[in-house]
Amino acid sequence: MTSFDRSLFEGRVVAVTGAGRGIGAAVSAAFLACGARVIAHAGRGLEHAEVDLLPRLSPGERDRLTLLTADFSKPGAGRSLGETIAAECGGRLDVLVNNAGTMGGRFPADEISAAEFDRVIDLNIRSVVELTTALIPALRAAQGAAIVSTSSISATTGGSAGSSLYSASKAFVSTWTRALARELAPDAIRVNAVSPGTIMTDFHRRYSSQEKLDKTADSIPLKRLGTAEDCAPAYLFLASSALSAYVTGQILEINGGQFMG
Ligand SMILES: NC(=O)c1ccc[n+]([C@@H]2O[C@H](COP(=O)([O-])OP(=O)(O)OC[C@H]3O[C@@H](n4cnc5c(N)ncnc54)[C@H](OP(=O)(O)O)[C@@H]3O)[C@@H](O)[C@H]2O)c1
């Protein structure tokens, strides 16, 4: 992150969910490198943050990091985390990154159970809406705040076999982003999303075979899978009013040319 201006987010407070590993860890480290104070939802526990996030931070960056945990499969967890973050930031939040999410497994369309439906919707939709709703007063108070959510390439393409619920839940995130951008524009809150393609994190280590990943890499114009570090600058760009003051309601695709729509 040395190529970024260390004063880009100096004095700004940024909340990131799903920050303990993968894309969220890279995004949190990038905001810290750019001078932000980061309130990070590590995940359901702290164990991934201890391995994936903390070791890449300098002592000064660690001093600007607050780690929280919450399990978004529990009803009301998003709202309750929002209340905690609002108290932590003193009622003024500059940037909210809604990033926590996952597929929860590959479910053939004729075998989707009520429990699987709830698990995907509670995490990828309900928690995002609850958390954002709880934090809108704090974002308004910042006067020029930004929300950046994590959608997915599958929101547009429909994803691969067994990912219908996940893909549709990410389409919700994209559409909700555009709707909120219009609604919150009078409050000077910009709302955008980053849409990653195939990014090598624990997500694909869990849900995709090496053979499938090799085939995907070969089909990508840039001839490789993405990394969490490939994604992080897009979040900084959309969060910074110095870089994207006139950008709202957009879904920024980060996928090596995998999808051009
Ligand atoms: N990797 C890709 O190719 C890709 C592509 C498109 C979109 N995305 C999206 O990018 C975001 C980050 O994914 P990633 O690739 O970085 O995956 P990851 O490494 O698996 O990280 C997922 C994050 O979400 C958190 N999370 C999962 N279930 C949770 C729950 N029930 N309650 C609270 N937190 C929970 C995880 O916490 P725990 O450590 O507790 O599990 C973790 O911090 C997700 O929204 C994902 O859908 C990823």
Side-chain angles (χ1 to χ4, degrees):
M1 280 298 131
T2 46
S3 54
F4 284 100
D5 183 346
R6 284 179 183 268
S7 63
L8 195 57
F9 289 97
E10 217 160 46
R12 304 289 159 96
V13 185
V14 178
V16 183
T17 66
R21 53 176 159 160
I23 294 169
V27 168
S28 299
F31 274 113
L32 287 162
C34 292
R37 177 178 168 218
V38 174
I39 304 174
H41 159 261
R44 288 163 286 188
L46 290 176
E47 61 278 8
H48 291 292
E50 275 155 15
V51 177
D52 290 354
L53 175 60
L54 294 179
R56 60 175 104 180
L57 305 180
S58 69
E61 289 167 350
R62 285 190 197 199
D63 287 346
R64 285 184 274 110
L65 173 69
T66 304
L67 281 175
L68 303 170
T69 60
D71 183 348
F72 292 141
S73 64
K74 303 211 166 96
R79 192 177 56 246
S80 156
L81 180 71
E83 288 162 4
T84 306
I85 292 174
E88 272 289 327
C89 66
R92 182 186 169 282
L93 181 66
D94 295 286
V95 179
L96 169 62
V97 177
N98 286 307
N99 168 72
T102 196
M103 198 183 294
R106 288 194 181 270
F107 313 119
D110 56 351
E111 288 175 22
I112 294 170
S113 70
E116 283 152 0
F117 181 87
D118 286 348
R119 192 143 32 103
V120 174
I121 301 311
D122 283 346
L123 174 60
N124 295 342
I125 297 182
R126 191 188 305 278
S127 80
V128 174
V129 174
E130 280 188 3
L131 180 64
T132 305
T133 302
L135 286 170
I136 284 174
L139 291 160
R140 276 198 185 110
Q143 298 185 338
I147 300 171
V148 186
S149 301
T150 304
S151 181
S152 166
I153 189 173
S154 66
T156 305
T157 64
S160 51
S163 74
S164 59
L165 276 182
Y166 171 76
S167 303
S169 74
K170 289 299 186 178
F172 174 95
V173 172
S174 293
T175 300
W176 185 74
T177 292
R178 294 188 196 97
L180 225 58
R182 270 208 186 81
E183 197 173 326
L184 298 181
D187 295 312
I189 300 174
R190 295 179 305 107
V191 189
N192 294 286
V194 174
S195 169
T198 308
I199 310 300
M200 265 323 288
T201 64
D202 290 342
F203 182 100
H204 280 293
R205 288 181 199 109
R206 274 192 306 271
Y207 303 128
S208 302
S209 67
Q210 192 54 49
E211 192 193 352
K212 182 176 186 299
L213 291 170
D214 290 345
K215 248 171 116 175
T216 303
D218 200 44
S219 73
I220 292 173
L222 290 182
K223 290 290 169 209
R224 66 173 177 87
L225 302 177
T227 65
E229 286 70 26
D230 287 325
C231 298
Y235 291 82
L236 300 186
F237 168 71
L238 292 172
S240 163
S241 50
L243 300 179
S244 61
Y246 202 48
V247 179
T248 196
Q250 303 304 308
I251 315 299
L252 181 48
E253 306 283 344
I254 306 294
N255 56 39
Q258 188 178 2
F259 165 68
M260 301 187 197

